[in-house]
Amino acid sequence: MAEAHARERHGVDPARIAELRAREAERYRRTRRRTEAAIGEGAPGYFGGVPMHWMRDWPMPFPLVIERAKGATITDIDGNQLDDFCLGDTGSMFGHSPVAVSKAIRRQAKRGLTYMLPSEDTLVVGRLLEETFGLPIWQVATTATDANRFALRVARAITNRPKILVFNGCYHGAVDETFVRLRDGKPINRPGLAGEFRDYTQQTRIVEFNDLAALEHELADRDVACVITEPVLTNSSMVLPEPGFHEGLRELTRRFGTLLLIDETHTISSGLGGYTRKHGLEPDLFVLGKPIAGGVPASIWGMSAEVAARYTDYNRKKEPGYSGMGTTLSANPLQFAAMRATLEQVMTAENYAHMEKLAARLERGLAKTIARYRLPWHVVRVGARVEFICAPGPLKNGGEAEAAHAPELEAAIHVALVNRGALIAPFHNMMLASPATERPQVDRLVAAFGDIAERLAT
């Protein structure tokens, strides 16, 4: 019964998926003997054999061990070269080690890495952030998780409201109170949280993305300090906003005195200034992590002039003491050197045009393959970000996105793509085109996807 349902939903016989995955796993092992010897049983000294647990989430029999990465190509220690469309899950969205960023890192390394005081680059980056993203006032952190935490703290402080609201299926890093999901229409803590003893549903409200009626109902009590959202759901099967959704979201938050935080950490793929600038959104707070410093850990969070004024007034009146926002390495000079190089020379309109052109080519190629083999799948694109989803679409909300996942099928495809020289993101079927990506790389990925689809469908 379950197998019949899976085939009906995803269009592929489960036995065929298992056969493909087993065959591709063996092929992967044969071409990575050195890697298997190094990490097949786990790297010594690390819990679970890896320095970060999600390195075990890749679907290969054992993780790749990378020797070098440059542009849109990575090479493992067995000498296998891969066209990289994962790009550090957006962390290297503009390619590995952009020349301008590499030069800035080398220059700053001679001047000191951290000293808790501004550098000359600091004086330039503030202006560049306003020019690029629109908001006038900024702070710097080290991860998007930190930036989101700090921005939410400010929102609660200036509104004097306890609650936040998220959309089902959201992802905002490791911000505790965003780990809420809907199950059978009821809020619950996200399954799988380690060591969690708090009930986040007491302070976090949750509705489905694109559901303005539910949003209005949850904001009506006027106890929600902030709605935090990506402009497009990305850390599930990708869900686009329906026409009028963002306009309605902004109108409702303003009507009920709730602040709006837009987290662009993934949707910065949309274009220069992110989805916010491209589509004229008007957030009160704005967060961007991962690619802002070309791969150096850094994040930014911005606020409107009104929010900044309210926060200034709050600080003037509050009891003296630690704000709960900090981290010693945040806003270090290495971050500013890398951010300046990224904003001035890498995150440019010209580079985005190149990225979008290649991403559109990838989208067309994948969609043609899906149509050729009559698979009940679809393709979604947001600027330079492309995903194939092994279920019918378009998807309307996080609940549908969760149901669209086909873990075994997706894992088999991912390993098969690696064996054909293409790496995509491990957690979803996400692919990015970078300024360093070239047309032949896109065509090779489309051809590899076609070969795999043929094996699955015929």
Side-chain angles (χ1 to χ4, degrees), residues 51-197:
M52 191 68 187
H53 66 87
W54 42 250
M55 290 182 179
R56 281 290 184 191
D57 290 344
W58 291 85
M60 292 85 81
F62 43 84
L64 293 167
V65 178
I66 304 305
E67 179 184 332
R68 63 186 178 275
K70 183 64 178 174
T73 303
I74 61 174
T75 304
D76 67 25
I77 61 173
D78 283 283
N80 298 294
Q81 187 169 291
L82 297 170
D83 297 324
D84 188 7
F85 292 89
C86 173
L87 295 170
D89 192 26
T90 312
S92 294
M93 189 180 79
F94 299 105
H96 296 288
S97 302
V99 173
V101 176
S102 294
K103 288 181 177 178
I105 292 171
R106 287 195 296 271
R107 184 186 71 247
Q108 186 58 47
K110 299 174 184 178
R111 302 175 177 180
L113 299 179
T114 186
Y115 28 78
M116 291 186 69
L117 289 166
S119 63
E120 288 187 291
D121 289 327
T122 308
L123 308 178
V124 177
V125 168
R127 170 180 55 79
L128 292 172
L129 292 175
E130 181 176 6
E131 290 175 359
T132 305
F133 303 109
L135 277 72
I137 307 296
W138 294 88
Q139 290 280 271
V140 174
T142 302
T143 68
T145 293
D146 288 339
N148 279 319
R149 283 192 184 120
F150 302 159
L152 289 175
R153 189 176 285 273
V154 168
R156 286 181 165 126
I158 67 175
T159 62
N160 196 30
R161 295 179 177 184
K163 297 186 178 181
I164 67 166
L165 184 142
V166 300
F167 292 104
N168 191 35
C170 71
Y171 180 72
H172 302 288
V175 178
D176 290 354
E177 60 264 53
T178 66
F179 287 134
V180 177
R181 290 293 182 268
L182 287 175
R183 176 179 287 173
D184 299 326
K186 296 181 179 180
I188 60 168
N189 275 15
R190 181 173 176 171
L193 293 178
E196 190 48 67
F197 58 90

Side-chain angles (χ1 to χ4, degrees), residues 48-345:
V50 287
M52 191 68 187
H53 66 87
W54 42 250
M55 290 182 179
R56 281 290 184 191
D57 290 344
W58 291 85
M60 292 85 81
F62 43 84
L64 293 167
V65 178
I66 304 305
E67 179 184 332
R68 63 186 178 275
K70 183 64 178 174
T73 303
I74 61 174
T75 304
D76 67 25
I77 61 173
D78 283 283
N80 298 294
Q81 187 169 291
L82 297 170
D83 297 324
D84 188 7
F85 292 89
C86 173
L87 295 170
D89 192 26
T90 312
S92 294
M93 189 180 79
F94 299 105
H96 296 288
S97 302
V99 173
V101 176
S102 294
K103 288 181 177 178
I105 292 171
R106 287 195 296 271
R107 184 186 71 247
Q108 186 58 47
K110 299 174 184 178
R111 302 175 177 180
L113 299 179
T114 186
Y115 28 78
M116 291 186 69
L117 289 166
S119 63
E120 288 187 291
D121 289 327
T122 308
L123 308 178
V124 177
V125 168
R127 170 180 55 79
L128 292 172
L129 292 175
E130 181 176 6
E131 290 175 359
T132 305
F133 303 109
L135 277 72
I137 307 296
W138 294 88
Q139 290 280 271
V140 174
T142 302
T143 68
T145 293
D146 288 339
N148 279 319
R149 283 192 184 120
F150 302 159
L152 289 175
R153 189 176 285 273
V154 168
R156 286 181 165 126
I158 67 175
T159 62
N160 196 30
R161 295 179 177 184
K163 297 186 178 181
I164 67 166
L165 184 142
V166 300
F167 292 104
N168 191 35
C170 71
Y171 180 72
H172 302 288
V175 178
D176 290 354
E177 60 264 53
T178 66
F179 287 134
V180 177
R181 290 293 182 268
L182 287 175
R183 176 179 287 173
D184 299 326
K186 296 181 179 180
I188 60 168
N189 275 15
R190 181 173 176 171
L193 293 178
E196 190 48 67
F197 58 90
R198 292 163 291 183
D199 180 2
Y200 291 131
T201 66
Q202 298 302 304
Q203 295 300 324
T204 301
R205 295 188 173 176
I206 181 169
V207 299
E208 290 285 11
F209 197 71
N210 284 317
D211 190 340
L212 291 175
L215 176 65
E216 181 174 11
H217 179 267
E218 294 297 332
L219 295 182
D221 287 342
R222 298 180 181 269
D223 59 356
V224 175
C226 187
V227 171
I228 175 173
T229 185
E230 300 175 278
V232 175
L233 289 187
T234 62
N235 218 55
S236 53
S237 301
M238 195 154 63
V239 180
L240 300 177
E242 294 180 342
F245 173 71
H246 277 295
E247 293 82 356
L249 170 61
R250 182 67 281 196
E251 189 278 324
L252 287 170
T253 49
R254 283 178 172 151
R255 187 197 308 173
F256 293 110
T258 299
L259 300 180
L260 175 61
L261 190 165
I262 297 292
D263 180 353
E264 289 261 18
T265 298
H266 288 162
T267 55
I268 192 63
S269 63
S270 303
L272 186 61
Y275 197 99
T276 294
R277 177 169 168 180
K278 187 169 184 177
H279 295 274
L281 307 187
E282 298 178 352
D284 301 296
L285 296 154
F286 177 102
V287 164
L288 173 61
K290 294 184 183 178
I292 186 62
V296 172
S299 65
I300 54 171
W301 55 287
M303 59 191 94
S304 68
E306 179 187 354
V307 168
R310 292 172 68 183
Y311 188 44
T312 298
D313 185 60
Y314 170 85
N315 280 325
R316 194 161 37 234
K317 297 174 181 177
K318 83 175 182 72
E319 181 180 2
Y322 179 51
S323 67
M325 298 182 288
T327 69
T328 304
L329 293 178
S330 292
N332 69 65
L334 184 64
Q335 290 177 326
F336 279 106
M339 277 195 286
R340 179 177 179 178
T342 300
L343 290 165
E344 287 184 331
Q345 302 178 60

Side-chain angles (χ1 to χ4, degrees), residues 10 14 17-18 20-21 59 405-415 456:
H10 305 294
I17 296 170
L20 176 68
R21 186 165 188 185
H405 276 304
E408 290 300 317
L409 173 58
E410 292 166 5
I413 294 171
H414 288 205
V415 180
L456 287 169

